[in-house]
Amino acid sequence: MAIIGEITHSTTYRYAKPVTFGTHRAMFLPRRGSSARLLSWSARTSVPSRVHWTTDSRSNAVTVMDFTEPGRELTFTFTVRGIYFGIKGVDAFPLEPRAEEIPVQYTPDEWTDLAGYLRPHAEDPDGSVAAWTKSFVAGDQDRTTDVLRRILKTFRTDFGYRGRDVEGTQSPGETLRSRSGTCRDFAWLMIETLRRLGLASRFVSGYLYDAALDGGAVGMTGSGATHAWVQVFLPGAGWLDYDPTNNLNGGFDLIPVAIARHPGQAIPLAGSWFGDTGDYLGMSIDVAVRKMSDVSDPSEG
């Protein structure tokens, strides 16, 4: 299955009087590969800027923008069009025998390559995340795919999505205690849980395509905004997507932009401004992910 899709991401910052701007860095280009082929893209700013492109240490595309003029309002408009490929029924992926049960047995080379995604990153001072992690394998329930399904189901039934204006990501312990958070919070808790089970896991920031929105219906949680989820490395299948916010694990619903060891490495837009503390009036974000047309997938026989 494949579609031609267009993503438009607009962010506006407003100030009481003209302020000056430091360098801003954005991550909005979907990662190219077997799941996406980019056709066109652009980055525009309402205040004149010098734009150049680079990649970070994890091969994420980064747009760097430098400003020489002040302004009372700064708008970033990012647009990208591409062909996105999706595979349904991803639960049928083939696992090597060493990956069928937890703990997964990684080879020495895999351990070296995956070390940063295997070690827990967040502190767990009261041991609550560790205790919660053990509940998913209690009673010898250690079949890998079953554990992953149980974790997704638990987020679906026991946690409530709660948007907030404050930037940043909650600690896994805070999300676990409150049983609520944003997609970034849920992804971060799931990652730290999987790492404590010995599964290499990484944070993914990107976009969520929701076919319901093409018809004007109410969409999935996280559609119409940047989204975050988890990738898990399982020998035999490779890196697989799991979205604890929407109980998704495949298809072209999830469009990855940036991968990271922790959420702080995958911020969609970050930068600085210089003025008085009270000058900042707020921001607004508008994200649209829409299908332009269906296309034939040459991989389908």
Side-chain angles (χ1 to χ4, degrees):
M1 302 177 66
I3 65 170
I4 293 180
E6 183 178 79
I7 301 168
T8 303
H9 183 169
S10 178
T11 302
T12 298
Y13 297 95
R14 295 180 177 84
Y15 305 88
K17 63 177 184 288
V19 300
T20 56
F21 305 102
T23 299
H24 282 65
R25 298 167 66 88
M27 293 181 175
F28 77 93
L29 276 182
R31 292 175 66 87
R32 294 173 242 196
S34 60
S35 62
R37 182 180 306 147
L38 302 187
L39 303 175
S40 63
W41 58 90
S42 66
R44 302 190 306 276
T45 59
S46 59
V47 175
S49 63
R50 185 177 75 252
V51 179
H52 72 271
W53 307 80
T54 185
T55 56
D56 64 13
S57 60
R58 296 165 303 282
S59 299
N60 300 313
V62 181
T63 308
V64 183
M65 295 154 286
D66 293 304
F67 301 88
T68 57
E69 298 182 15
R72 293 182 59 177
E73 183 173 292
L74 176 58
T75 297
F76 299 85
T77 303
F78 308 120
T79 304
V80 59
R81 182 174 292 197
I83 301 176
Y84 305 104
F85 301 89
I87 302 173
K88 298 299 182 182
V90 74
D91 264 349
F93 50 75
L95 291 183
E96 293 184 18
R98 60 191 175 96
E100 291 178 351
E101 293 184 349
I102 291 175
V104 167
Q105 303 301 310
Y106 293 114
T107 66
D109 273 347
E110 288 170 345
W111 270 101
T112 300
D113 295 337
L114 299 171
Y117 303 114
L118 280 162
R119 291 192 299 268
H121 182 87
E123 294 183 358
D124 182 24
D126 61 358
S128 59
V129 177
W132 192 64
T133 296
K134 291 178 182 178
S135 70
F136 293 107
V137 290
D140 294 326
Q141 300 180 86
D142 53 5
R143 185 172 177 81
T144 306
T145 53
D146 291 342
V147 171
L148 288 165
R149 289 193 194 98
R150 280 197 297 275
I151 294 174
L152 286 182
K153 182 180 178 181
T154 299
F155 275 101
R156 191 68 163 176
T157 59
D158 297 354
F159 288 72
Y161 184 88
R162 184 188 66 193
R164 64 178 184 275
D165 295 330
V166 179
E167 295 182 0
T169 306
Q170 293 178 166
S171 70
E174 184 178 354
T175 301
L176 183 58
R177 286 190 297 273
S178 65
R179 291 294 199 276
S180 65
T182 66
C183 57
R184 295 176 74 86
D185 302 328
F186 293 164
W188 190 219
L189 172 56
M190 184 170 178
I191 287 168
E192 289 294 281
T193 300
L194 294 176
R195 288 174 178 173
R196 285 168 171 79
L197 289 171
L199 293 170
S201 306
R202 60 192 187 186
F203 184 90
V204 188
S205 176
Y207 299 100
L208 173 64
Y209 167 69
D210 189 350
L213 296 182
D214 290 332
V218 176
M220 288 183 286
T221 303
S223 57
T226 54
H227 194 50
W229 62 96
V230 179
Q231 284 185 346
V232 184
F233 185 80
L234 299 178
W239 288 106
L240 299 176
D241 295 298
Y242 286 87
D243 177 7
T245 304
N246 292 294
N247 195 25
L248 294 174
N249 64 325
F252 45 63
D253 308 277
L254 301 172
I255 303 172
V257 168
I259 59 172
R261 287 183 294 107
H262 59 83
Q265 296 178 316
I267 299 174
L269 178 62
S272 59
W273 62 275
F274 304 93
D276 295 331
T277 303
D279 288 342
Y280 180 65
L281 299 179
M283 66 178 290
S284 60
I285 301 174
D286 183 36
V287 176
V289 183
R290 51 185 174 269
K291 181 177 74 173
M292 310 302 291
S293 63
D294 292 295
V295 296
S296 60
D297 185 347
S299 66
E300 295 180 345

